[in-house]
Amino acid sequence: AKASGRNNYQFFAENMNVAAARHFELETSLRGALERGEFTLFYQPIVCTRDRRVHGMEVLLRWRRPGHGLVAPDDFIPMLEENGLIVAVGEWVIRTACEQAMAWQRAGLAPVPLAVNLSARQFMHRGLIDAIRRTLDETGLAPSMLEFEITETALMQHGRQTLETLAQISNMGIRLSIDDFGTGYSSLAYLKRFPVHKIKIDRAFVRDLESSSEDRAIVAAIMALAGSLQLTVVAEGVETQAQLALLREHGCALAQGYLFAKPDEAGRAAQMLA
Ligand code: C2E
Ligand code: CA
Ligand code: CA
Ligand code: CA
């Protein structure tokens, strides 16, 4: 028993070394990724559930990691958050999105707001408001053409400072959405306190809409709440006609998902705006 315990330990230790090495390698290549220009933005349309007209675009970060292809944000954003690089990368995201919006406008495409995701760490960062203001100034984009998405969990983390930052963003004329609504530690009181304009129903409630009466009840409750607070609702992760039909029945105005378009690079996403 003792011997096998020791083997297990050795096995465990080796795996730990592999994991640590991989972690280190990832962190090292991530540190230089911004300077090497390896980040890129994808865009996914947010459409009207009635006529499918494009109402906005969500901006989604991708990393073209040499030798690894296109890496999805869930595989590297947690590390950017951990080491603080998310602040610099996040500023790059905001700037690049604003430049893209201006380029599309100059090309004569229908102007729609771009929705940029903000993580908790960025949101806490003191320089955020200045960076946003400077970027709007320098790119010339109207604040009404920019939106931010923040998760419930990020919002709930830091009381008064959060409220101030939200107010500053809102006073600039930038709209705010609550992302992944319903998955976090929900305190409905904040909906009234915070200057938010939209809520995004998390994909988890949309996926089984057809088969789950509980999920339909949750969506109905969110719609009722949003209605009484005059918030616009966006449903995430819509993949089927049946989901779309149910969402429309529930009075959901906007939707986003593979049914309409997958996130794509700027050139192809622009075809949705033509
Ligand atoms: P999110 O904000 O909830 O973004 C929606 C995610 O759902 C995206 O994943 C999108 O590609 C995916 N999606 C859209 N429609 C469908 C669908 O019909 N079915 C399915 N299965 N998935 C769909 P993605 O691009 O991998 O992004 C993951 C998360 O990474 C985002 O979740 C967001 O929290 C974060 N993220 C992405 N870009 C940024 C960024 O620039 N900054 C920060 N801080 N976070 C970002
Ligand atoms: Ca989002
Ligand atoms: Ca979301
Ligand atoms: Ca999410």
Side-chain angles (χ1 to χ4, degrees):
K2 207 168 186 183
S4 97
R6 200 190 144 145
N7 283 339
N8 278 339
Y9 173 75
Q10 259 173 7
F11 183 67
F12 176 73
E14 274 158 28
N15 276 333
M16 283 296 286
N17 285 337
V18 171
R22 213 177 272 143
H23 187 91
F24 181 76
E25 197 186 77
L26 176 67
E27 171 138 34
T28 307
S29 46
L30 208 43
R31 284 198 178 275
L34 187 58
E35 279 158 43
R36 291 191 299 268
E38 291 169 4
F39 290 115
T40 186
L41 296 183
F42 271 32
Y43 300 84
Q44 186 183 32
I46 297 166
V47 308
C48 172
T49 54
R50 305 219 154 266
D51 56 18
R52 291 187 175 223
R53 274 174 50 176
V54 179
H55 195 274
M57 291 271 195
E58 181 171 2
V59 177
L60 295 158
L61 182 61
R62 297 288 182 270
W63 177 23
R64 291 192 197 282
R65 186 180 181 196
H68 295 258
L70 206 59
V71 186
D74 288 335
D75 293 334
F76 64 88
I77 284 187
M79 189 176 277
L80 289 179
E81 286 249 311
E82 216 176 280
N83 61 23
L85 285 173
I86 190 67
V87 171
V89 174
E91 285 178 6
W92 177 87
V93 170
I94 296 170
R95 168 165 306 268
T96 307
C98 290
E99 284 168 355
Q100 186 57 254
M102 288 304 288
W104 280 338
Q105 281 183 29
R106 280 193 295 266
L109 298 173
V112 297
L114 297 189
V116 171
N117 291 284
L118 285 185
S119 62
R121 180 88 181 241
Q122 283 174 275
F123 194 66
M124 279 191 302
H125 182 68
R126 295 247 163 221
L128 175 69
I129 298 295
D130 275 350
I132 296 170
R133 207 168 267 137
R134 212 175 330 114
T135 304
L136 288 175
D137 258 21
E138 289 170 12
T139 59
L141 187 71
S144 59
M145 290 291 111
L146 184 62
E147 298 186 353
F148 288 115
E149 299 189 359
I150 309 169
T151 64
E152 275 182 310
T153 320
L155 280 181
M156 298 318 296
Q157 278 173 20
H158 335 271
R160 248 192 38 146
Q161 174 64 28
T162 300
L163 202 58
E164 247 162 63
T165 307
L166 286 177
Q168 283 175 304
I169 291 175
S170 180
N171 288 340
M172 269 188 253
I174 298 171
R175 290 173 180 271
L176 287 157
S177 306
I178 298 189
D179 212 346
D180 301 352
F181 188 78
T183 61
Y185 149 59
S186 283
S187 152
L188 295 179
Y190 72 80
L191 281 180
K192 226 182 76 178
R193 254 189 319 130
F194 292 170
V196 296
H197 303 92
K198 273 191 197 135
I199 53 188
K200 299 189 81 174
I201 302 182
D202 194 74
R203 185 162 80 232
F205 304 114
V206 173
R207 194 178 40 225
D208 304 320
L209 217 45
E210 274 179 275
S211 58
S212 161
S213 57
E214 286 90 350
D215 287 347
R216 285 197 297 278
I218 290 169
V219 167
I222 294 175
M223 292 310 305
L225 178 74
S228 62
L229 295 171
Q230 293 176 305
L231 300 170
T232 303
V233 179
V234 185
E236 294 187 328
V238 180
E239 296 183 353
T240 70
Q241 279 297 343
Q243 290 165 344
L244 174 63
L246 282 166
L247 288 162
R248 217 190 272 135
E249 258 172 54
H250 279 90
C252 181
L254 299 174
Q256 181 180 0
Y258 297 169
L259 177 63
F260 313 107
K262 289 195 169 178
D264 211 338
E265 57 183 38
R268 275 194 297 265
Q271 292 170 10
M272 302 277 305
L273 298 174

